[in-house]
Amino acid sequence: MSTVIRPGKDAAGGPPEALREFAEDWASDQEVFKGVHWGKAMMWIFLLSDTFIFSSFLVSYMTMRSSVTVPWPNTSEVFGLTVGGVSVPLLLIAIMTFVLISSSGTMAMAVNYGYRRNRKVTTALMIATAVLGATFVSMQAFEWTKLIHEGVRPWGNPWGAEQFGASFFMITGFHGLHVSAGVIMLLIVASKVWRGHYDRSGDYSAVEIAGLYWHFVDLVWVFIFAFFYLW
């Protein structure tokens, strides 16, 4: 977008030429998005900004962990569960990951059936996705409760580097907030699908937009799982 600034009014006494050119430039930019669903465009812009936030968290975490001189807690032991008297490393986290990845599958099928205008199946799959998301958040709440009882705080923990608690609560809490918001959004959209709102408008894009958000949340968790729990 190139605008040449020429101050002052034109001969007819209208708005300055520079102002007209500026308005024309913006009008031509709108043509770039012509034909693109505004909801999808806004969701992509939101997801891009969210990508920068999560990337900043993970890069800061890796930088901090690489520079800390105190031993970092062993995540296999910290996040392990005891089953039948045997400690299983990362058991809860593995189940949480399986649940969230499975929800991506049900969400993808919901989008597929949405564009087929199959109201009942779309609603059922979206509710199933929301239930899986709520299950994930519940398990995360259990994980938080367990660690808090074991003495993990944002300013310290019994096993090593003090930064462990702060980074854990910040990264997983921010992601859990996104999952919780996604569950609410899925239930709202599913309710509209069931009541035939999108059949009347002839536009099922809201289901796809909800799917974009949900797949993003799942993808972010894969990176958190790899960099925070496995490293």
Side-chain angles (χ1 to χ4, degrees):
M1 180 172 63
S2 61
T3 302
V4 179
I5 305 298
R6 299 188 184 93
K9 295 185 176 181
D10 59 14
E17 185 179 353
L19 184 60
R20 279 207 311 273
E21 291 180 355
F22 183 76
E24 288 172 1
D25 282 346
W26 274 99
S28 64
D29 283 349
Q30 291 176 5
E31 294 296 320
V32 175
F33 297 102
K34 193 173 184 180
V36 178
H37 192 282
W38 70 270
K40 292 181 189 176
M42 294 301 103
M43 179 55 75
W44 277 114
I45 291 173
F46 170 76
L47 296 182
L48 182 63
S49 63
D50 235 18
T51 299
F52 286 120
I53 296 175
F54 276 109
S55 299
S56 299
F57 282 171
L58 289 177
V59 169
S60 300
Y61 166 74
M62 289 187 288
T63 304
M64 175 193 63
R65 183 161 174 188
S66 301
S67 58
V68 70
T69 55
V70 182
W72 196 261
N74 187 337
T75 53
S76 296
E77 297 176 359
V78 173
F79 298 109
L81 281 183
T82 302
V83 180
V86 179
S87 179
V88 182
L90 297 175
L91 176 61
L92 181 62
I93 310 303
I95 297 173
M96 289 169 62
T97 304
F98 176 77
V99 168
L100 204 57
I101 297 301
S102 299
S103 72
S104 256
T106 55
M107 189 66 234
M109 289 191 288
V111 174
N112 187 12
Y113 278 96
Y115 279 107
R116 294 183 190 182
R117 305 291 193 268
N118 192 324
R119 195 158 48 90
K120 292 182 179 178
V121 178
T122 303
T123 303
L125 287 169
M126 293 193 75
I127 291 177
T129 305
V131 169
L132 290 171
T135 304
F136 175 88
V137 174
S138 300
M139 288 191 288
Q140 194 172 52
F142 171 80
E143 179 191 29
W144 273 45
T145 305
K146 173 178 173 290
L147 291 184
I148 290 172
H149 279 298
E150 291 174 351
V152 179
R153 300 289 186 273
W155 52 86
N157 65 84
W159 306 293
E162 297 177 347
Q163 297 88 342
F164 171 79
S167 55
F168 168 76
F169 288 123
M170 181 183 68
I171 294 174
T172 61
F174 194 61
H175 179 265
L177 186 65
H178 277 69
V179 177
S180 301
V183 169
I184 295 171
M185 178 171 65
L186 288 174
L187 292 176
I188 292 173
V189 175
S191 171
K192 287 187 173 182
V193 171
W194 177 250
R195 288 186 280 113
H197 176 82
Y198 303 120
D199 285 331
R200 290 191 293 274
S201 65
D203 184 8
Y204 265 76
S205 296
V207 179
E208 185 180 353
I209 292 170
L212 284 174
Y213 178 84
W214 195 257
H215 293 317
F216 171 78
V217 168
D218 290 358
L219 180 63
V220 168
W221 177 255
V222 172
F223 284 96
I224 293 175
F225 178 73
F227 288 103
F228 194 87
Y229 293 98
L230 296 183
W231 183 19

